[in-house]
Amino acid sequence: MPLFRLDRPLPRPRLAGLRHAAIACAAVLTVVPAARAADDASRDPIGIWTGTLVADRGICPETRAPSTLQIESRRVAFTPADGAQTLHGQRDATPGRFHAQLVLSGMNRKPFPMVFEGTPQGNTIQGTYGTPRCRAHVVLTRPQSHSMEHFLGH
């Protein structure tokens, strides 16, 4: 037996309960981003931060796309231009300082270090990125969708 018949209209769902739930959910969702945006980066740095590198000197192909900083309770990861290379670091006892690095093997097996240093300032994390070929700065912020995804569990 089919679940519904095509020769009759579908029954109307009860919307009263759903409508109240939707209104309550919308009210909570509008409060969450505002509360998250007010967070001070030095008090609550854990999470995802994004920003685009701006070259200060040299040739920085990493300025072509946004970069991502991921801060966990004990680890830090910075991905310049959201590419294939990720710099890693451990959070140390010095609060408000984030350091990540990666050393690749360059031409003639010469080390090619990539370094990120960041510090919280207000609602942002200000950082510098350097390699032997360039130096750049970045202002990292929490993506707006991150607060919603975190709240919804995605």
Side-chain angles (χ1 to χ4, degrees):
M1 181 168 164
L3 296 175
F4 57 88
R5 293 180 48 175
L6 295 177
D7 61 339
R8 294 186 186 166
L10 292 172
R12 288 184 57 138
R14 292 180 156 181
L15 295 179
L18 292 176
R19 189 173 301 130
H20 293 297
I23 291 169
C25 185
V28 169
L29 290 177
T30 56
V31 170
V32 170
R36 188 62 147 162
D39 284 346
D40 185 4
S42 62
R43 283 190 317 235
D44 182 22
I46 294 176
I48 303 290
W49 300 80
T50 61
T52 301
L53 289 162
V54 177
D56 294 325
R57 70 174 171 79
I59 299 169
C60 289
E62 296 86 353
T63 60
R64 70 184 180 279
S67 298
T68 301
L69 173 65
Q70 182 175 355
I71 300 173
E72 297 175 359
S73 61
R74 296 184 188 239
R75 298 184 306 169
V76 175
F78 180 74
T79 307
D82 287 342
Q85 307 297 334
T86 300
L87 291 63
H88 295 278
Q90 299 289 322
R91 288 187 62 189
D92 57 19
T94 309
R97 184 174 154 261
F98 307 106
H99 175 88
Q101 66 183 25
L102 175 65
V103 180
L104 300 174
S105 181
M107 294 176 61
N108 299 326
R109 298 189 181 183
K110 186 176 179 181
F112 187 85
M114 304 166 73
V115 178
F116 170 82
E117 297 262 343
T119 56
Q121 289 188 352
N123 295 351
T124 67
I125 294 179
Q126 310 279 323
T128 56
Y129 168 79
T131 71
R133 69 171 180 244
C134 81
R135 179 175 170 85
H137 68 273
V138 64
V139 176
L140 300 152
T141 60
R142 294 185 198 267
Q144 292 297 325
S145 63
H146 173 69
S147 296
M148 299 291 262
E149 291 171 4
H150 178 73
F151 176 77
L152 297 173
H154 295 283

